[in-house]
Amino acid sequence: MFAHVDINNCYVSCERLFKPELEGRVVVVLSNNDGCVIARSNEAKEIGIKMADAEFMVRQNLQKNDAVIFSSNYPLYADMSARLMNNLARYTYTLMVYSIDEAFMALGNIHSLDLEKHAETISTNVMHDTGLPITLGIGPTLSLAKLANKAAKKQKKAFMVLDTEEKISKAVKNFPIEDVWGVGLAYFQKLLEHKINTAHDFRQLKADFVRQQMTVQGWRLHQELWGIPCNVIRDVAERSKGIESSQSFNTYQTRLEPIEEAIAMHAATVALKLRQQKSMALTLTIYLRTNKHNVKHDQHYPSITVKVPFAANSTHQFTRVAVQAIRAIWQPGYNYLKTGLRATGIIPAGEVQYNMFANYEHSREQKLAGLMDDLNNRYGRGTLKLAIEGFDRKWIMKQESLSKQYTTKWNDIVVTR
């Protein structure tokens, strides 16, 4: 059996944890530059606030309902996520962190285990130990565990266990096919053509027909909904997805210098994430974006993919490559709104292939990176950084309603008497 766990209204729950007086009030969290809604309390959903609503379009509705608005506080959310994952690890021998607010767990030998009671125990203990409300779904496959989680949310339950065919059949009967994990827009439209509206309808299709129409991925999903495991749980998030860091500027950038500062910051962020998970990357993609919604400006979306000579996770090497790349794709005369960097071709740090004909000071790079990490861990992130990352950072994104970094900044730690 597998379990799927996620945090209810993740960003809102993190904010409420340190401001419990916000329970019962309309709360929303905004995206980069306070542009649109990316998290809502249940009260916000009830007054019609939708995901990705532009802030200026719902501003009047929020003011009318005395809403509390927060800018995205990613350091806080990431730290609370890490606390949750460490807590969940106590209940499984294999934990796969799927995103910042969700994870899969393998439950192991459960022959003598009361799954309903076990689910309740996990839910209660996590709330007690982290303060974060979670929903938990349990099933014989990853897809059914995810489905159980969503079904529990719809019924406003803390957990749901699908451990018998009777329970599974009841859960899939009216479950919308578009809400099934793995059914994207293309599959959804194709299934609608065949009058497949629910997970139950999808299960009734012949396996050969599914494989012909939806390739092997659709066939695996079909098998999983029948309780036959086809997806493999991993003890870390799937490395092939890559690691990315990006951010919109607070205003249009036409000069190269602030864009270099921003891409250097993203390079340092990605390199740090790789070191934290003991991985290295072979390929970096660097890109620039103008505002596609502003038709008055000329559009430019350049990107470049660079293969690193040796798999690396060094801040110095990533920054060197990223800055050279941004200089190659930047062009004067455009109003750039966003830049970012994505690392792919990720491998474990112990599997690096070296070239005997090239002189790469790997040990020196690792010592430098380790020194930076030690100092930043001791005195706070950003204490030591490369000069090209900038110090003024006038281009940094707008965060007019940013809460304190209660768990990641000494000056913001909660003080009690």
Side-chain angles (χ1 to χ4, degrees):
M1 300 291 284
F2 301 97
H4 174 259
V5 180
D6 73 350
I7 306 171
N8 300 336
N9 306 324
C10 178
Y11 296 170
V12 170
S13 294
C14 290
E15 299 289 357
R16 278 179 167 173
L17 181 59
F18 298 94
K19 286 183 175 290
E21 65 272 18
L22 298 181
E23 288 292 339
R25 293 187 60 181
V26 175
V27 181
V28 298
V29 177
L30 303 178
S31 63
N32 291 348
N33 282 320
D34 296 344
C36 61
V37 176
I38 57 171
R40 310 158 292 161
S41 64
N42 291 333
E43 294 78 9
K45 297 174 186 177
E46 290 172 0
I47 65 170
I49 305 298
K50 297 181 176 58
M51 283 292 286
D53 274 350
E55 185 274 336
F56 72 91
M57 294 184 66
V58 297
R59 186 179 301 157
Q60 189 173 358
N61 190 10
L62 293 173
Q63 291 173 348
K64 177 183 174 182
N65 288 277
D66 193 26
V68 180
I69 301 173
F70 289 101
S71 302
S72 299
N73 189 344
Y74 296 119
L76 173 64
Y77 308 151
D79 186 65
M80 295 310 302
S81 171
R83 294 178 186 221
L84 172 73
M85 300 309 169
N86 288 334
N87 199 278
L88 292 176
R90 298 187 299 167
Y91 302 98
T92 178
Y93 63 92
T94 302
L95 177 74
M96 183 175 81
V97 179
Y98 191 67
S99 69
I100 192 171
D101 67 339
E102 60 181 321
F104 287 97
M105 298 191 296
L107 297 183
N109 185 352
I110 48 86
H111 292 295
S112 59
L113 191 65
D114 184 335
L115 287 175
E116 295 278 346
K117 188 173 181 180
H118 189 55
E120 183 177 11
T121 298
I122 294 175
S123 179
T124 302
N125 288 353
V126 166
M127 182 64 181
H128 177 270
D129 295 340
T130 69
L132 297 173
I134 64 170
T135 300
L136 189 146
I138 294 178
T141 67
L142 299 184
S143 298
L144 283 173
K146 181 91 169 178
L147 187 147
N149 186 300
K150 287 189 175 183
K153 282 183 181 292
K154 291 174 186 280
Q155 298 178 28
K156 297 184 178 179
K157 294 181 178 180
F159 58 87
M160 179 177 288
V161 177
L162 303 180
D163 55 352
T164 66
E165 178 55 36
E166 181 181 358
K167 291 181 181 179
I168 294 173
S169 298
K170 183 178 179 181
V172 303
K173 185 176 181 180
N174 297 309
F175 195 88
I177 188 62
E178 63 267 29
D179 289 343
V180 173
W181 183 44
V183 177
L185 181 59
Y187 282 164
F188 174 55
Q189 292 175 340
K190 183 174 291 187
L191 290 170
L192 283 185
E193 293 175 4
H194 295 279
K195 298 181 179 180
I196 306 300
N197 298 303
T198 67
H200 169 78
D201 297 337
F202 182 64
R203 291 213 311 171
Q204 302 312 305
L205 294 173
K206 298 289 186 182
D208 291 342
F209 174 82
V210 173
R211 185 158 192 162
Q212 182 181 12
Q213 295 294 320
M214 299 174 63
T215 70
V216 69
Q217 296 300 326
W219 175 82
R220 286 176 178 171
L221 173 59
H222 184 264
Q223 296 294 292
E224 290 232 328
L225 291 181
W226 277 108
I228 304 170
C230 293
N231 293 313
V232 179
I233 194 168
R234 294 174 174 83
D235 59 349
V236 294
E238 189 176 348
R239 291 190 173 100
S240 61
K241 291 182 178 179
I243 295 176
E244 184 169 355
S245 177
S246 65
Q247 190 180 97
S248 297
F249 302 117
N250 61 5
T251 186
Y252 294 119
Q253 298 297 324
T254 57
R255 296 170 49 243
L256 178 59
E257 184 178 353
I259 296 176
E260 288 179 341
E261 291 181 0
I263 202 64
M265 181 190 72
H266 295 314
T269 299
V270 170
L272 176 61
K273 289 181 179 180
L274 285 167
R275 293 196 296 273
Q276 288 174 338
Q277 70 173 39
K278 295 180 173 55
S279 297
M280 293 189 171
L282 291 164
T283 307
L284 299 180
T285 299
I286 296 90
Y287 57 86
L288 271 168
R289 299 286 184 267
T290 51
N291 185 359
K292 64 180 180 181
H293 300 295
N294 192 333
V295 295
K296 296 180 181 180
H297 294 168
D298 293 334
Q299 302 299 311
H300 194 218
Y301 312 115
S303 68
I304 187 171
T305 299
V306 181
K307 186 173 176 59
V308 183
F310 303 98
N313 59 15
S314 161
T315 298
H316 294 78
Q317 186 169 11
F318 274 23
T319 302
R320 191 180 307 118
V321 171
V323 171
Q324 290 175 350
I326 211 72
R327 289 171 179 170
I329 63 175
W330 175 83
Q331 291 186 20
Y334 290 100
N335 296 292
Y336 292 109
L337 187 62
K338 183 178 182 179
T339 188
L341 180 146
R342 179 176 175 82
T344 52
I346 298 175
I347 62 173
E351 298 179 10
V352 180
Q353 180 71 47
Y354 296 105
N355 187 333
M356 64 181 294
F357 299 106
N359 180 23
Y360 174 54
E361 298 181 355
H362 174 73
S363 59
R364 178 177 179 273
E365 292 284 353
Q366 292 301 299
K367 287 179 179 178
L368 282 172
L371 175 62
M372 290 182 69
D373 292 344
D374 289 344
L375 288 171
N376 288 329
N377 287 336
R378 182 172 181 178
Y379 297 106
R381 186 175 177 182
T383 299
L384 181 63
K385 59 187 178 183
L386 301 185
I388 197 170
E389 291 184 47
F391 296 92
D392 193 7
R393 293 187 177 180
K394 294 180 180 179
W395 45 265
I396 207 75
M397 66 179 179
K398 180 173 68 175
Q399 293 177 303
E400 294 181 349
S401 304
L402 185 66
S403 59
K404 294 182 178 181
Q405 296 179 21
Y406 300 102
T407 64
T408 59
K409 189 175 181 181
W410 284 112
N411 293 339
D412 290 346
I413 291 179
V414 176
V415 177
T416 62
R417 297 180 185 229

